[in-house]
Amino acid sequence: MTFRLLAAAVALALPAVATAQDVPRLGAMVVTATRTAQSPYDVPAAIDSVPTPPDGTLDVNLSERLQSIPGVTARDRQNYAQDTQISIRGFGARSTFGIRGIRLYTDGIPATMPDGQGQVTHFNLDSAERVEVLRGPFSALYGNASGGVIQLFTADGTEPPTYRVGVAGGSNGNLRVSANARGVEGPVDYNVDVTHFRTDGYRDHSAARRESGNAKLGWTIDDDTKLTLVLNAVDIPDAQDPLGLTRAQYRADPRQVAAVARTFDTRKSADQQQAGVIWDQRIDASNSLRVMAYYGQRSVTQYLSIPVATQVSQPGNAGGVVDLANAYGGGDARWTWRDTLAGKPFELAAGVAYDNQHQHRQGDENFVGTALGVRGALRRDEIDRVFNVDEYAQATWRVADDWTLMGGVRHSDVRFRSTDRYIAPGNPDDSGTVRYTATTPVGGVLWRAAPWAHVYANWGRGFETPTFSELGYRADRGAGLAFNLKPSHSNNMEVGLKLQPAETLSAGVAVFRADSDDELAVATNLGGRTTYQNIARSRRQGIEASFDDEVARDLHLVASYTRLLASFRSPFLTCVSAGCRAPDTPVAAGTRIPGVPRGLGYAAIKYGGERGWQATLDANAVGATPVNDLGTEAAPGYALFGLGAGYVFDHGPWRVNTFGRLDNLADRHVIGSVIVNDGNGRYYEPAPGRTFLVGVDVTWR
C-alpha cells in the first residue's frame, strides 16, 4: 500500500472519531522530541515511553524493554561479543556490529559517537526509570545518524530510601545478580547500582560475563538550580563469539559454531568508564539554561577469524586482531524561553553541541607461527579522530486551543581525520581528512480533534555519514580511507492519530515514508575487508499501530503491529562471494533492504496488582528477513509465545517479588537475528529453544 493510500485511510477515519464522547487523559511526561517536559499525547511525533521496573525478566538486554514499541526491531543476538541488534523503521538494519543509523542516549549523555556508531552495553536497566523512543522526522533534531532516538533515564533517588537485591537464573547458565540503593539525604538524591551477569550461551563457544555499575547523584542547590552527576562503567572480558551459520549449518545443528570460531578462538573484550555532569538553572520565570558535559574511555580487543593465508599474501591486510583505544567526550549547552507569542503559549529552545572521539586503532595478526588465536605482528596503526559541532533551534507554539505548531532546524558539521602510523611495502600511507555538513529542518502540526483524539503530521530532512568502520577501506583497493563515500540524506514524512478515549486506554496509528539518497551498501568482500558504496535511492515506508488498556481490574493488555517495506529504488552492482574484487552482480530496483522484516507484532496480557499473584502471557512475531543485498536468502519468519508467573508479598519493611518464566513455549527452532551481507554466507544467528528463568527481588524500605 502506498503512502498516499495509508494517509487517506487515516484521514477517512477522522469524521468517525470526532463524534465520540470527550474523555481527556494526561500522558506520561517526556522530553525526547521537544527537550522539555511535555506529554507525548501533545507532541506531533511518534513517541513511546516504557517504564522499566523489575518485571520478571532477565533484565540485562535492552531488547527486553523494546518489544512492545511499534517500528522498533530489537534482537537479542545471544552473542555478547556483539551488541544488541536494533533498528527503527529500517534505519540501522545494515549494521553487523554495534548500532548505527539511530541515536542513543543515557540520561541525556550520547552513547552514539560523532561518526554515527553507538552501543548500549553500558545501559543499566536495573536502575532505570524508563526508556523513551522517538521515531520519524523529529529525530533529525539530534543530528548525524538520527533515523530514530532511544533514551534511557535513570530513576531519581526515593524518599524513604529503598535497597534492593535481585537474583535471576535459568537455562544456558544465565545468571544475573544485582544490588540497588536509592535515597535522599538532605539536598542530595542518589541511585547506585551494580550488576553481575554471566552465561554459558545457547550455542557452543558463546560464554560471556559482564560487570556493570551505574550511579546517578543529584544535588538540589536551591529552588532554581540542580547539579546531576552520572557515572557508569562496564567490563566484558573475553566474550566468546560463535559467529553466524550458513543455512545448511543451521539446519544440521543450530547450536553449533563455525569451525573457524574454534580455530581462532574468536572473542571480544570491552572495558568502558564514563562520567557526565548536567547543570540545570532556572534564570527567571521565562528563561532556563541546561549545560551538559561528559567524558569517557572505551577499549576493545577483538579476535577475528581472518585466515592466515589471507594475511600473509596481502601486505595491506590489517590482520585478525582489532585493538581499539577510545577517548571521547563533549558537551551540550541549551537555552530555553517559555512565554507567550501573540497571546498564545510559545516555547523556544536553542543550543550548541560538541562531540569528539579520539581513537587509536591497531591491527595485529591472529597467529604466531603455528599458534592460532593469539596476538602476532602489527599490521595496522593509525590515529582516527572525528568530531562534530552542531547548532540547533526548535520552537513549539500553541496557536489555538486545538492547534499546535512545532518546528526546528539543526546544522551539523562532522569532520574525520585519520593519521596512518604503519607504512610498509605494499601498505602505503592511508592518512586523510574529510568533512560532511548538513542542515536538517523539521516541522509538524497537531490538531486536537477532540480531547481524546489528536491528529498530527510532520516532515523533516535527515542525514547519516559513513562511520569509521565503513570508511576503513576503499572499494578500488587504492591507498587511503574511503573518503569518496557520500553521506546519506533522507526526506521523512509521517501522519498519525493518537487516541485516549479513557483514563486507562490509549491507542495510536502512524503511517510514514522515508526516501533516502546515497544509501550505503556493500561494494566488495575480499580478505576480511568489507568496502561500501552509495546507492542512489532507497525507500522505507509502512504503518504502525499500538494499543494499551487496562481491560479489567488488574488485567492489562498491550499490543503493537508494524508493517514495513524497505527497498532499494535504484539498481546497482554488488558482490556475492568472499573473494569478490569488484561488484559484478546486479541488484534490481525494488529489492528489499536486508535486515528489515516486513512485519512485526507483539501482544501481552498481564494480570496482577502491586501485591499478590502475577501472570503474563505474551506473543512475539517477526516476518521473514532478507539477509543480503541481492535478496536471494532470507531468515524465515516466526511467532514465539512466553509465559510468566510470580507472587509479590510484603513483610514489614520488606517486599519480596518471586517470579518464573518460560520462553518459546512450543520449543521452536528459529533464527533470532541475522548478519547482513556476511561475505562467507554465515548470515544466521539461531535463537534458543524453550528456556526457563526463575528469580527473586527483595526490597527493603
Side-chain angles (χ1 to χ4, degrees):
M1 185 180 293
T2 67
F3 180 84
R4 291 184 179 87
L5 289 176
L6 291 172
V10 174
L12 290 172
L14 297 183
V17 303
T19 61
Q21 181 181 1
D22 295 344
V23 184
R25 179 175 181 265
L26 179 64
M29 304 303 284
V30 299
V31 297
T32 305
T34 61
R35 295 184 173 91
T36 57
Q38 192 168 352
S39 166
Y41 190 49
D42 287 317
V43 175
I47 303 174
D48 282 276
S49 181
V50 180
T52 59
D55 66 348
T57 63
L58 191 58
D59 222 22
V60 296
N61 297 305
L62 186 61
S63 57
E64 299 174 68
R65 299 299 186 177
L66 300 178
Q67 297 180 77
S68 64
I69 300 179
V72 178
T73 304
R75 302 174 185 254
D76 176 9
R77 307 180 71 165
Q78 299 293 313
N79 180 353
Y80 291 91
Q82 307 293 346
D83 216 328
T84 301
Q85 198 172 63
I86 302 176
S87 63
I88 296 179
R89 293 182 177 177
F91 287 97
R94 78 172 185 275
S95 179
T96 55
F97 59 91
I99 299 172
R100 304 178 206 177
I102 58 179
R103 300 292 298 184
L104 305 165
Y105 294 85
T106 174
D107 293 309
I109 298 170
T112 300
M113 294 295 103
D115 67 345
Q117 182 165 319
Q119 50 83 35
V120 295
T121 52
H122 66 296
F123 276 33
N124 188 289
L125 297 176
D126 195 56
S127 61
E129 177 189 51
R130 70 189 188 278
V131 176
E132 293 180 2
V133 179
L134 168 65
R135 309 178 299 285
F138 272 95
S139 304
L141 289 175
Y142 287 83
N144 180 25
S146 51
V149 180
I150 298 176
Q151 299 205 53
L152 179 139
F153 293 90
T154 303
D156 292 333
T158 58
E159 182 64 43
T162 61
Y163 306 94
R164 188 180 74 248
V165 176
V167 179
S171 300
N172 305 315
N174 288 337
L175 175 66
R176 183 260 299 164
V177 180
S178 59
N180 181 267
R182 306 180 189 186
V184 177
E185 293 291 341
V188 177
D189 69 272
Y190 60 88
N191 182 342
V192 181
D193 191 277
V194 291
T195 301
H196 163 80
F197 169 72
R198 68 171 176 81
T199 181
D200 295 333
Y202 165 65
R203 297 172 58 198
D204 296 336
H205 195 74
S206 59
R209 176 169 61 89
R210 185 166 73 194
E211 317 288 349
S212 63
N214 191 75
K216 178 182 175 183
L217 307 174
W219 178 24
T220 303
I221 300 173
D222 55 41
D223 291 342
D224 297 323
T225 310
K226 184 171 183 178
L227 181 67
T228 303
L229 176 65
V230 180
L231 306 169
N232 55 61
V234 65
D235 181 30
I236 307 173
D238 290 325
Q240 295 177 328
D241 187 351
L243 307 179
L245 299 178
T246 65
R247 178 62 67 90
Q249 290 172 328
Y250 162 72
R251 288 173 174 169
D253 179 7
R255 303 192 71 157
Q256 69 172 302
V257 300
V260 291
R262 295 189 183 280
T263 300
F264 290 96
D265 190 16
T266 50
R267 61 197 186 276
K268 184 174 83 171
S269 296
D271 182 43
Q272 175 177 307
Q273 303 84 37
Q274 179 177 286
V277 61
I278 303 167
W279 178 275
D280 288 295
Q281 176 73 52
R282 188 177 67 175
I283 300 171
D284 55 34
S286 299
N287 294 276
S288 61
L289 180 67
R290 182 182 186 273
V291 179
M292 180 274 295
Y294 70 98
Y295 176 79
Q297 294 183 329
R298 180 176 175 86
S299 62
V300 175
T301 304
Q302 185 166 14
Y303 287 76
L304 307 175
S305 58
I306 307 298
V308 172
T310 298
Q311 299 172 68
V312 171
S313 63
Q314 297 179 10
N317 191 280
V321 180
V322 178
D323 188 353
L324 305 177
N326 292 282
Y328 60 91
D332 184 286
R334 181 169 71 248
W335 163 74
T336 303
W337 178 69
R338 301 179 184 90
D339 211 314
T340 59
L341 181 64
K344 300 298 182 181
F346 183 81
E347 182 171 323
L348 173 66
V352 59
Y354 169 78
D355 303 285
N356 177 66
Q357 179 187 11
H358 186 276
Q359 181 182 92
H360 185 191
R361 175 185 288 266
Q362 292 181 297
D364 303 290
E365 294 173 344
N366 57 3
F367 65 94
V368 176
T370 58
L372 305 179
V374 296
R375 182 174 298 203
L378 182 69
R379 299 293 296 269
R380 185 175 187 175
D381 186 5
E382 65 192 42
I383 302 297
D384 295 330
R385 187 189 177 202
V386 56
F387 70 91
N388 68 271
V389 179
D390 290 16
E391 305 86 22
Y392 60 88
Q394 56 194 84
T396 304
W397 188 19
R398 188 159 180 167
V399 295
D401 289 343
D402 296 336
W403 294 90
T404 294
L405 301 179
M406 181 183 293
V409 64
R410 185 173 183 125
H411 177 76
S412 299
D413 187 344
V414 186
R415 305 188 186 196
F416 293 80
R417 183 179 68 205
S418 182
T419 303
D420 192 353
R421 308 200 310 185
Y422 181 80
I423 302 171
N427 190 355
D429 189 348
D430 292 326
S431 301
T433 62
V434 69
R435 176 184 180 184
Y436 302 111
T437 61
T439 300
T440 52
V442 297
V445 57
L446 182 135
W447 171 45
R448 297 169 181 83
W452 59 272
H454 291 182
V455 184
Y456 70 91
N458 55 49
W459 173 90
R461 290 274 293 169
F463 87 111
E464 179 183 357
T465 71
T467 67
F468 255 123
S469 296
E470 291 153 342
L471 293 170
Y473 304 106
R474 294 171 58 99
D476 61 5
R477 303 191 301 280
L481 302 187
F483 288 138
N484 60 315
L485 291 177
K486 303 174 184 177
S488 174
H489 293 269
S490 59
N491 281 304
N492 307 297
M493 60 193 78
E494 178 182 50
V495 178
L497 172 65
K498 300 182 181 185
L499 302 173
Q500 293 188 343
E503 182 68 24
T504 60
L505 170 61
S506 63
V509 61
V511 293
F512 58 88
R513 190 170 88 182
D515 291 320
S516 299
D517 298 327
D518 295 317
E519 176 94 14
L520 284 175
V522 169
T524 66
N525 281 293
L526 180 65
R529 291 182 170 187
T530 301
T531 67
Y532 294 85
Q533 61 181 323
N534 291 109
I535 307 305
R537 295 182 297 116
S538 61
R539 174 175 294 170
R540 297 164 173 86
Q541 64 180 2
I543 183 169
E544 300 170 350
S546 62
F547 180 87
D548 190 328
D549 185 27
E550 188 173 338
V551 294
R553 182 179 178 182
D554 295 338
L555 193 63
H556 191 193
L557 174 63
V558 178
S560 64
Y561 175 73
T562 304
R563 183 71 172 175
L564 174 60
L565 178 61
S567 60
F568 299 111
R569 308 299 292 176
S570 299
F572 62 98
L573 298 178
T574 190
C575 287
V576 296
S577 64
C580 177
R581 290 181 172 271
D584 56 5
T585 304
V587 177
T591 302
R592 291 171 60 191
I593 295 175
V596 183
R598 184 166 288 177
L600 293 168
Y602 175 83
I605 185 76
K606 303 178 181 181
Y607 169 79
E610 290 188 10
R611 291 176 294 277
W613 287 105
Q614 319 280 316
T616 302
L617 176 64
D618 55 63
N620 197 341
V622 179
T625 305
V627 296
N628 57 6
D629 287 341
L630 203 61
T632 54
E633 287 203 45
Y638 60 84
L640 301 179
F641 296 87
L643 178 65
Y647 190 79
V648 180
F649 64 92
D650 293 332
H651 182 73
W654 301 93
R655 169 163 290 186
V656 180
N657 177 14
T658 61
F659 58 88
R661 181 169 178 84
L662 288 173
D663 282 303
N664 193 356
L665 292 176
D667 197 25
R668 295 190 59 193
H669 291 300
V670 302
I671 295 168
S673 61
V674 298
I675 305 171
V676 297
N677 289 313
D678 183 86
N680 297 290
R682 297 194 291 260
Y683 304 115
Y684 307 107
E685 294 183 299
R690 185 186 301 115
T691 58
F692 75 92
L693 177 76
V694 294
V696 59
D697 285 307
V698 180
T699 303
W700 179 81
R701 299 176 186 270

